[in-house]
Amino acid sequence: MAGAEASTGSAQRGDTLPNGDVYVGNFDGLVPHGMGKYMWTDGSLYDGEWDKSKMTGRGIIQWPSGASYEGDFRGGFIDGTGTFKGVDGSVYKGSWRMNKKQGMGTMVYSNSDSYEGLWNEGLPDGYGKYTWAAGNIYIGNWKSGSMNGRGVMQWINGDTLDCNWLSGLAHGKGYCKYASGACYIGTWDRGVKDGHGIFYQPGSKIPCNLEVSECATNNDGTSASSSSNEKVKVGLLFILQNLCNKWGLRRFFHRPRRISNGTTPIFVDDSGNHLPQDLPNKSLSSNEGLQNTDVHKDFVYEREYIQGVLISEQPKGKHSGMLDSGETQENTWQKQERGPMETIYKGHRSYFLMLNLQLGIRYTVGKITPVPLREVRSNDFGPRARIIMYFPCEGSQYTPPHCSVNFFWKDYCPMVFRNLREMFRIDSADYMMSICGGDSLKELSSPGKSGSIFYLSQDERFVIKTLRKSELKILLKMLPKYYNHVKAYDNTLITKFFGVHRITLKAGKKVRFVVMGNMFCTELRIHRKYDLKGSTQGRSTKKQKINENTTLKDLDLAHAFHVDKSWREALFRQIALDSMFLESQSIIDYSMLLGIHFRAPNHLKAATSHQNTLESSGITSAMDCSVPLHCEDANSSKGFLLVAHEPGTTAGGSHIRGSMVRASEGGYEEVDLVLPGTGRFRVQLGVNMPARARKLLESTDAVEEYDVVLYLGIIDILQEYNTSKRVEHAVKSLKFDPLSISSVDPNLYSKRFVSFLERVFPEQD
């Protein structure tokens, strides 16, 4: 004991600890308690309050590096509110929890960037405002340190973008207004425009019912209502924080952890790259570039982009040159009230149905998973292969209480579908979390032609479809043969079924569901979707109903797709096997669902910088002949690469069953698909398949070509060729060519289906 009196009460003295650390201050018995200073052997120094040997209360800590913190401590950790000064000159002032920034806080970085808003685990997370030193500002949601969710970016030149964001990049529907007064409403993908949109020239009348933004704007181009609301939100959070500090409420939220003197990394000022095709940092006045151009300000243009490259542009309401426009179609970008999907919320018409479905699946999967995995038996398919349970609101001996309505649950052939999920490599825990986790399902806003309603899991891995009673009977009838078929052929293109269920409500209403895999669950944006049957009668889409979410039909398809020779052989070998199986079950009306992701032609990217200047000035590419919308020399470059497959370098995603296909281009080895600037993907039959799309332009006799990535699968396999279909065939044959209608004999249907697809995927010369 150095220069101190032994005392059982609180007394000030100094002590050198065995490890070399030094404490000078008040003690309670043998432990620091009250005010005191503590110096570690590495030179770190704490001066402040102690409680039973723990730093608790107000204090200051300084590190040898020069970093310092002044504020609240609890249990030996930075916890409460305080100010941290980093060695690089950065300063954080706000809330802490367990040595990490948590809650409201303001950070000024060493490069003069600043962030004001919510933090979580030391990173911006929640609602906040980030200001770059150059003057660009983002106000909106954050997640794990990146712009994520709804937010507004304002550039110093007055350009603004109100959009959804993902990992720091614009991703989803958005509304962009340029300083010139021009604006664009459309969709972004990983920071660039991708898909259909509408471009308004300066002075054009902009609709007020925008899906993402409000019409009213400030002088600087930001949304007036959203801007004021954002300021109010941040202001209220700071007021609440100050009240907590003033009234000493922070002690109720303290949770200790060890101290760290690290600083949050500075955000790179790449805000100018978020919209490289849209918003150049250089400010352009509305008159720049327009003085020698005859601009019709009332024109509104429909546009289509592929990875930021403008592919097609037409005045709204006129014939369109979009990618999928045939000879008779007008491709309009129509805004939908609620978009293609709507998350089910409390009060939604499907809310209780969703809760019942989630409760039932959770119960069934939880009950069947512990059963040892075994081969299915004949009685696993029979009428006794059912799980039936009553779910009262108050709960029972076997079911938990819930906030939905009373219902009966029936699960069909649980052991069979359990084995199918194992066969398709679907983990039971992932399956339950995807469908029954904390997130709601999403309902497609427009039901199918059959009247079925479709739901998607939040991660979009699974599709849930309501079934008619007749469809349920067909599925259960063909289930034994279906099981054997998908077991025998890993690369089958037929719909993957994961479960069949029925909910019976108290009033006697019965709703039947089937859970399927979503073949479009991919990181890539699906630009076109086609439902191909091989028939022609009624197989076109009315032009007034076409929008960016439309699934097109046989006569709408204007492209042919050229794939690797070995892939084509494998594809048609599997199509033939699947068609034979469906024919053996007397199934008709099935179709090939084809999803297309277009890659931007590299030869058009050179024109992008020129297009940037025109667009920010309000000039459309239709006014400037130097921007080629189509190019005859389409073979000058490719939009993808094929490289030798390396295990572990590609994400499996939801399409992990099935062998990889071998490419003749790669020496008949397994290959991965590399999309520059996007990622690396595993190539399987019908999944991530690269191809070359060709379309003849009749006006010029030129061939338009694009590199594409294809997704395809056989869907709608629950319609038998029964008596009603035979009658339909007889009646329609009186008016139309018998070979052109959908309802035909299963053998003819199968042959016509394969023959049509052979024309869609022709052999290469």
Side-chain angles (χ1 to χ4, degrees):
M1 198 73 67
E5 297 180 1
S7 173
T8 58
S10 179
Q12 183 172 358
R13 63 179 188 266
D15 198 357
T16 301
L17 305 179
N19 63 358
D21 294 349
V22 177
Y23 174 77
V24 178
N26 294 326
F27 282 80
D28 183 5
L30 299 177
V31 297
H33 184 81
M35 295 297 298
K37 294 183 179 181
Y38 193 101
M39 179 176 290
W40 287 266
T41 54
D42 64 358
S44 302
L45 175 66
Y46 170 78
D47 185 0
E49 297 177 278
W50 294 78
D51 180 39
K52 303 296 184 181
S53 78
K54 301 290 186 181
M55 296 180 292
T56 302
R58 299 289 294 181
I60 301 175
I61 189 168
Q62 296 176 327
W63 287 272
S65 62
S68 65
Y69 169 80
E70 179 178 1
D72 293 331
F73 292 81
R74 184 175 178 84
F77 310 102
I78 296 178
D79 201 298
T81 59
T83 302
F84 178 86
K85 297 181 179 179
V87 295
D88 56 359
S90 59
V91 178
Y92 171 81
K93 184 176 182 179
S95 296
W96 297 77
R97 188 176 72 182
M98 302 171 71
N99 285 349
K100 291 189 177 181
K101 305 175 186 71
Q102 184 85 14
M104 281 300 304
T106 300
M107 182 81 170
V108 179
Y109 298 90
S110 59
N111 66 345
S112 298
D113 289 358
S114 66
Y115 172 79
E116 176 184 8
L118 293 171
W119 298 73
N120 184 41
E121 292 291 316
L123 295 172
D125 197 302
Y127 199 85
K129 174 183 178 181
Y130 194 97
T131 304
W132 282 265
N136 300 328
I137 298 174
Y138 171 82
I139 302 176
N141 290 310
W142 296 75
K143 185 176 181 180
S144 301
S146 296
M147 297 178 287
N148 206 94
R150 170 76 179 276
V152 180
M153 174 71 80
Q154 177 184 339
W155 279 261
I156 192 172
N157 69 341
D159 295 339
T160 59
L161 173 63
D162 187 344
C163 190
N164 291 307
W165 300 77
L166 180 66
S167 301
L169 298 173
H171 191 82
K173 288 191 180 266
Y175 165 75
C176 174
K177 185 166 184 180
Y178 301 96
S180 65
C183 79
Y184 177 79
I185 304 171
T187 307
W188 277 258
D189 184 78
R190 296 181 182 87
V192 296
K193 293 175 185 172
D194 200 35
H196 297 278
I198 299 180
F199 178 76
Y200 294 84
Q201 294 183 20
S204 299
K205 184 178 180 181
I206 302 173
C208 290
N209 58 338
L210 298 178
E211 185 170 339
V212 181
S213 256
E214 297 299 332
C215 189
T217 56
N218 299 319
N219 293 333
D220 58 5
T222 59
S223 171
S225 59
S226 61
S227 177
S228 60
N229 289 337
E230 288 148 2
K231 292 177 181 178
V232 169
K233 287 180 182 178
V234 175
L236 287 175
L237 289 170
F238 273 112
I239 291 173
L240 179 61
Q241 181 67 48
N242 292 334
L243 288 175
C244 289
N245 295 338
K246 181 178 179 180
W247 295 340
L249 299 179
R250 59 180 180 270
R251 70 189 67 176
F252 297 109
F253 306 101
H254 290 164
R255 295 178 187 174
R257 187 186 267 176
R258 293 187 58 81
I259 296 174
S260 168
N261 66 342
T263 61
T264 303
I266 298 171
F267 288 99
V268 178
D269 186 4
D270 61 350
S271 56
N273 295 327
H274 292 162
L275 295 171
Q277 314 304 329
D278 305 335
L279 304 179
N281 286 328
K282 180 181 177 182
S283 179
L284 294 172
S285 69
S286 59
N287 294 325
E288 185 175 343
L290 294 176
Q291 51 192 348
N292 295 322
T293 307
D294 182 16
V295 177
H296 301 281
K297 299 197 175 221
D298 290 334
F299 275 4
V300 176
Y301 286 82
E302 297 171 357
R303 288 184 168 184
E304 181 170 22
Y305 288 85
I306 296 180
Q307 290 94 55
V309 176
L310 179 62
I311 298 299
S312 200
E313 178 183 77
Q314 289 290 333
K316 188 176 180 182
K318 295 192 176 182
H319 176 73
S320 173
M322 303 286 183
L323 285 174
D324 61 355
S325 60
E327 302 165 7
T328 62
Q329 292 198 4
E330 173 185 296
N331 203 343
T332 59
W333 192 91
Q334 301 173 355
K335 174 187 170 297
Q336 294 186 343
E337 287 289 328
R338 296 178 297 183
M341 291 181 291
E342 179 184 22
T343 299
I344 299 174
Y345 53 87
K346 189 172 183 179
H348 191 280
R349 65 179 181 276
S350 299
Y351 180 70
F352 290 123
L353 198 60
M354 177 193 73
L355 292 182
N356 296 346
L357 180 68
Q358 292 176 327
L359 281 166
I361 290 178
R362 191 181 296 116
Y363 172 83
T364 298
V365 176
K367 185 178 179 66
I368 200 70
T369 300
V371 178
L373 190 65
R374 60 170 174 78
E375 281 296 324
V376 296
R377 305 162 183 159
S378 58
N379 59 357
D380 290 325
F381 296 96
R384 294 181 179 273
R386 309 284 190 268
I387 293 178
I388 302 175
M389 183 57 62
Y390 178 58
F391 284 78
C393 295
E394 64 276 10
S396 68
Q397 181 181 355
Y398 305 102
T399 63
H402 57 86
C403 57
S404 183
V405 296
N406 300 337
F407 69 98
F408 282 94
W409 171 262
K410 179 182 282 191
D411 187 79
Y412 296 90
C413 305
M415 183 57 73
V416 175
F417 286 105
R418 185 263 181 95
N419 279 28
L420 283 172
R421 291 192 295 270
E422 292 285 343
M423 195 184 299
F424 294 129
R425 300 179 187 176
I426 302 296
D427 180 75
S428 295
D430 291 342
Y431 183 70
M432 281 198 295
M433 286 302 299
S434 178
I435 299 175
C436 314
D439 294 326
S440 296
L441 301 178
K442 292 183 281 191
E443 179 180 307
L444 296 182
S445 59
S446 55
K449 182 179 179 181
S450 64
S452 298
I453 301 176
F454 292 83
Y455 303 94
L456 280 177
S457 59
Q458 275 293 336
D459 58 9
E460 300 189 5
R461 290 183 64 190
F462 303 103
V463 178
I464 303 169
K465 176 188 177 183
T466 60
L467 293 177
R468 299 191 302 269
K469 185 177 181 179
S470 59
E471 291 176 320
L472 174 62
K473 288 183 176 180
I474 293 170
L475 176 54
L476 295 178
K477 177 183 174 182
M478 68 184 292
L479 188 57
K481 297 291 182 63
Y482 171 86
Y483 181 89
N484 292 332
H485 181 80
V486 298
K487 182 180 179 181
Y489 302 105
D490 283 357
N491 291 319
T492 180
L493 300 174
I494 291 178
T495 304
K496 297 174 174 62
F497 295 123
F498 301 135
V500 178
H501 319 285
R502 190 185 77 184
I503 292 172
T504 304
L505 303 176
K506 190 174 182 180
K509 180 181 179 182
K510 297 177 181 179
V511 185
R512 303 161 186 87
F513 299 94
V514 61
V515 182
M516 307 176 289
N518 179 16
M519 56 176 287
F520 291 156
C521 181
T522 172
E523 296 178 24
L524 302 180
R525 179 177 176 80
I526 303 298
H527 296 100
R528 294 291 182 279
K529 291 180 288 186
Y530 291 91
D531 183 274
L532 307 174
K533 291 179 180 290
S535 57
T536 56
Q537 181 57 43
R539 299 300 295 166
S540 62
T541 309
K542 293 182 179 179
K543 58 184 180 182
Q544 63 269 25
K545 292 185 178 181
I546 296 178
N547 58 47
E548 62 176 340
N549 304 307
T550 303
T551 299
L552 302 169
K553 299 179 183 179
D554 304 61
L555 297 180
D556 304 319
L557 183 61
H559 289 88
F561 302 96
H562 297 264
V563 299
D564 183 273
K565 181 180 179 180
S566 62
W567 294 352
R568 185 183 184 279
E569 292 174 355
L571 177 64
F572 278 96
R573 190 182 310 120
Q574 189 60 54
I575 291 175
L577 290 168
D578 291 340
S579 298
M580 287 173 58
F581 163 73
L582 295 174
E583 180 186 342
S584 70
Q585 302 300 304
S586 298
I587 301 297
I588 63 169
D589 274 352
Y590 52 88
S591 57
M592 179 69 75
L593 184 61
L594 174 64
I596 309 170
H597 170 79
F598 287 90
R599 299 302 296 171
N602 289 332
H603 65 274
L604 290 182
K605 292 182 179 178
T608 298
S609 59
H610 178 69
Q611 172 62 22
N612 291 344
T613 304
L614 295 176
E615 183 166 307
S616 61
S617 302
I619 303 177
T620 67
S621 58
M623 304 172 191
D624 187 87
C625 59
S626 63
V627 180
L629 295 184
H630 302 289
C631 180
E632 294 186 20
D633 185 18
N635 293 312
S636 58
S637 58
K638 298 190 72 173
F640 58 78
L641 299 172
L642 295 178
V643 298
H645 172 65
E646 296 181 15
T649 59
T650 57
S654 61
H655 308 281
I656 57 176
R657 183 179 186 258
S659 59
M660 296 184 62
V661 292
R662 300 174 182 270
S664 57
E665 182 179 328
Y668 293 96
E669 295 294 330
E670 294 180 346
V671 293
D672 292 336
L673 172 66
V674 176
L675 303 179
T678 303
R680 183 168 180 161
F681 302 88
R682 180 181 178 183
V683 181
Q684 294 175 255
L685 201 66
V687 180
N688 299 322
M689 287 186 63
R692 192 76 167 170
R694 294 182 180 178
K695 173 185 173 183
L696 180 65
L697 301 177
E698 294 190 358
S699 58
T700 61
D701 290 331
V703 175
E704 179 183 84
E705 295 191 357
Y706 293 93
D707 289 316
V708 296
V709 182
L710 303 178
Y711 298 83
L712 56 156
I714 299 175
I715 63 170
D716 296 336
I717 63 169
L718 300 178
Q719 177 59 61
E720 279 187 327
Y721 189 58
N722 51 25
T723 303
S724 64
K725 285 295 179 179
R726 287 184 171 88
V727 172
E728 179 185 336
H729 173 78
V731 172
K732 288 188 176 181
S733 295
L734 298 175
K735 186 176 181 181
F736 306 107
D737 180 358
L739 298 179
S740 70
I741 59 180
S742 178
S743 182
V744 294
D745 175 83
N747 179 264
L748 176 59
Y749 193 99
S750 173
K751 291 180 179 178
R752 186 180 63 185
F753 179 72
V754 175
S755 176
F756 175 76
L757 292 178
E758 286 176 342
R759 296 194 299 273
V760 175
F761 299 93
E763 291 188 78
Q764 297 194 50
D765 298 332

